[in-house]
Amino acid sequence: MPDVTTKHRRVKIVPPEELTGLELDKPSNAAAGITGVTVAMKHIAEETGMWKGLKILSKLNQRHGIDCPGCAWPEPNHRSAVAEYCENGAKAIAEEATEKKCDIGFFAEHSVEEMSFWSDYKIGKSGRVTHPMYLPKGASYYEPISWEKAYQIIADELKSCSTPDEAVFYTSGRTSNEAAFLYQLFVRLFGTNNLPDCSNMCHESSGVGLGETIGIGKGTVTVDDIYNAEVILVVGQNPGTNHPRMLSALQKCKENGGKVIHINPLPETGTTKFVNPQSPLDVLKGGVKIADYFLQVKIAGDIPLFKILLHYILEEEKKHPGAVVDQTFITEQTLGYDDFISEIAQLDIPKALEACGVEHSLLKEVATLLSANKKIITCWAMGITQQKHAVNTIREIVNMHLLRGAVGIPGAGLCPVRGHSNVQGDRTMGIYEKPKSEFLDSLDKVYQFSSPRHHGYDVVETIEAMHEGKVKVFMAMGGNFISATPDSEFTGKAVQNVGLTVQVSTKLNRAHLVTGEHALILPCLGRTELDLQKSGEQFVTVENSMGVVHTSRGNVKPADHHLKSEPAIVSELADVVFGNKFNIAWKEMRDNYDLIRNEIEKVIPGFDDFNKRVRQPDGFYLPNGPRNGKFTTSSGKALFTVNPMPQFSVPKDHLVMMTIRSHDQYNTTIYGLDDRYRGIKNERRVVLMNRQDMHHFGFREKELVNIVSDQDGTSRVASHFHVIPFDIPKGSCATYFPETNCLVPLSSVADRSKTPMSKYIIVRLEKL
Ligand SMILES: Nc1nc2c(c(=O)[nH]1)N[C@H]1C(S)=C(S)[C@@H](COP(=O)(O)OP(=O)(O)OC[C@H]3O[C@@H](n4cnc5c(=O)[nH]c(N)nc54)[C@H](O)[C@@H]3O)O[C@H]1N2
Ligand SMILES: Nc1nc2c(c(=O)[nH]1)N[C@H]1C(S)=C(S)[C@@H](COP(=O)(O)OP(=O)(O)OC[C@H]3O[C@@H](n4cnc5c(=O)[nH]c(N)nc54)[C@H](O)[C@@H]3O)O[C@H]1N2
Ligand SMILES: [Mo]
């Protein structure tokens, strides 16, 4: 079996090929509703018990309560007193606050090899890790270890590195601002910028595309803007599953007369119809239709689609001179307009229509809408960022906003919808392999040292470096590096080249099983849990998708008394590694997080009076020039860009495959085996296909196939998937991640952002 590695121990890198019993239903025609509530409560009852579950839920997303570890969608100012959370937020809570435990006895019973042959679902359902565990060189079982010894092992390995760049420090996006700040400080004092993070696989393309054009790698809108927009485009995103609370905001926008346009190869349920479970009237009516237009774009067809929209908007301007194009804004605030319009004027419309696959008349209607209304917001997520031309697609979206002057005014702007609940905050805190020199200058000044200036590894470079044997120590603050990354087999083997791997985690995952020569698991508190330190109960802070910094405070007893908080783990480790070397009060900061926030205030702009302002009921907004109409590029102007039409060639009888999330998973954490909205039950090994393609290849419904990707001269195979007919453009198919990450070549990355192209994999299907 190629996906089993035997270097130190015999372990399976990818989820096993076992089938669980597919049942098919009709895709549902409305999201949320009462079924959503029932399903959420079932997860809560099974994992935490009702009493504990309801105690957590009563504080979820409430002022001074717990920030939901689900997604980064912001809380509205007027929160529901009953339930300001969604079905999938409740599932995230159930998963974290589960009563199930991976305790010392559990690890004594199950070898690493045995667990690696379990499905990700079964691994995740094993429960919370309760004690620091160590997997010594050559051993097959994890054994308990004290915190002191664990820190000493890490310190010894770090000291044995011949350069600090032999150590890599990954971060997943749940880490609080306080932990992230201390972590990056520790890493830079150690001497490297090797700080890859989940953003590298997620919204990196948005950061690059927006940074270049408007001067900030973040969105420019607030929730109130969403309510007040006249037109909202939801592009490459499945909010019904991944940002369900966004549906309530879209509903409000519609109540105010706004229109919603959904651009996606799949007609995702939430955008079709939404039943707000908090509204009895909604439930009675059977819900509201969210999307007024559905543009069923081909995979990676968004650049041609936006170019056509731009072309038609410019035609509208010709019909009504001065009414559509905001000339004053363009002259005063932008550069590059002339080159941009001359390129759009030359657009080969029939070719672009063919490339995007959307009806010409629909695009005309949408362009008319965009020409008549200025309060436009574009929201996007992974359908855009994980494509080869992701950065250029985002720049084309920016072009549309600049043409209409639809940025930096109320009700309009750009909205990359973030994934992990604090992924944006982690970047603000300095978790970045290519930090700006101003940030490093500030660190140097405050801590009186010379921070490393050369760039560190991103996720893909980390895997390459591991493969070449250049990484001695790999530490991960959360996440599941093995299952979230591309090219699973290559990555799994690369990780085995590392000396020591360290995972700070809440729950067991495959990254604890496919490890370096020796490995540590350091169990930490989750968001929901009380964080008691010497100075009393602590809270942490996070930044949501719209740049609001606010508190999060857990309220239930930790899963075990051995657990430590992430800030405590980092400060104690730093204390062991550095002692008094830098004159930093690590222990005091561990005992009182207000002191960490004082340090953040000293280093990072926008955090003045941090401790005071963050205690305000709704926290505070970070500075964002473009939101207020002030672009922060080097010229002080926003840039129009010219983006070439992408060229793709798909070999005959091959399909373009996207890897997406089911309704029952959080990234690599599998909550359950259903994908309710898409009508798929009890099975994750499925490939969603167009019926005509199925007919062409002679596949029957539910027939089993292997999926093969032959890019860059290597044949990668994922075996045993049921074919399912689905409403998806011809020539494409969809599968769930992480089961098919093994098919994504490591070399297949987005231009400039280097984000793995998880939404564009050329595959062929083989009958079994
Ligand atoms: N419940 C739950 N919530 C989550 C997560 C989770 O796993 N579960 N994950 C969190 C994280 S980290 C993230 S980043 C977000 C992810 O949130 P999403 O980006 O919504 O997640 P995906 O399932 O990857 O869905 C991508 C969507 O893009 C569409 N798409 C694919 N290719 C294209 C294309 O070429 N063009 C267009 N226009 N559309 C395309 C797909 O059909 C799909 O609807 O959600 C966050 N929230
Ligand atoms: N093929 C394909 N691959 C993808 C994607 C895709 O769409 N397709 N999406 C990409 C995206 S958008 C992302 S963001 C990445 C996600 O990559 P990661 O962030 O690395 O993965 P997660 O599955 O979110 O990590 C889950 C683990 O985090 C740990 N954890 C949970 N909560 C906490 C906490 O509070 N503290 C700590 N220390 N640990 C915690 C648990 O042990 C859990 O097992 O995956 C990427 N990979
Ligand atoms: Mo993400």
Side-chain angles (χ1 to χ4, degrees), residues 71 88 202 235-238 241-243 263-266 268 297-300 302 381-383 387 419-420 658 660-661 665-667 759:
C71 70
N88 278 346
C202 185
V235 196
Q237 199 198 338
N238 178 15
T241 287
N242 299 313
H243 303 92
I263 305 178
N264 199 313
L266 297 181
E268 304 286 21
V297 66
K298 286 186 189 168
I299 295 181
D302 301 272
M382 297 302 104
Q387 297 289 359
H420 264 301
M658 55 176 169
I660 52 174
R661 292 156 169 81
Q665 74 183 85
Y666 192 91
N667 299 338
K759 298 285 189 275

Side-chain angles (χ1 to χ4, degrees), residues 69 96 124 129 170-176 197-203 382 385-386 419-420 423 476-486 503-510 512 522-528 566 569 658-661 666-669 735-742 744 755-759 761:
E96 177 179 299
V129 183
Y170 174 73
T171 311
S172 167
R174 272 195 192 173
T175 296
S176 64
D197 68 348
C198 69
S199 248
N200 294 148
M201 300 181 271
C202 185
H203 265 294
M382 297 302 104
T385 62
Q386 297 175 339
H420 264 301
V423 61
M477 188 56 66
N480 181 354
F481 195 78
I482 285 289
S483 301
T485 48
Q503 297 280 335
V504 179
S505 309
T506 49
K507 295 193 72 180
L508 190 68
N509 66 45
R510 201 166 288 280
H512 304 124
L522 306 181
C524 66
L525 295 178
R527 284 272 172 85
T528 51
E566 290 181 352
I569 294 172
M658 55 176 169
T659 57
I660 52 174
R661 292 156 169 81
Y666 192 91
N667 299 338
T668 68
T669 302
T735 54
Y736 300 131
F737 105 88
E739 282 79 355
T740 46
N741 284 38
C742 54
V744 186
T755 299
M757 284 162 56
S758 308
K759 298 285 189 275
I761 308 142

Side-chain angles (χ1 to χ4, degrees), residues 154-175:
I154 304 173
D156 291 345
E157 287 285 350
L158 287 177
K159 277 178 195 147
S160 78
C161 287
S162 49
T163 116
D165 290 332
E166 286 182 349
V168 177
F169 301 85
Y170 174 73
T171 311
S172 167
R174 272 195 192 173
T175 296

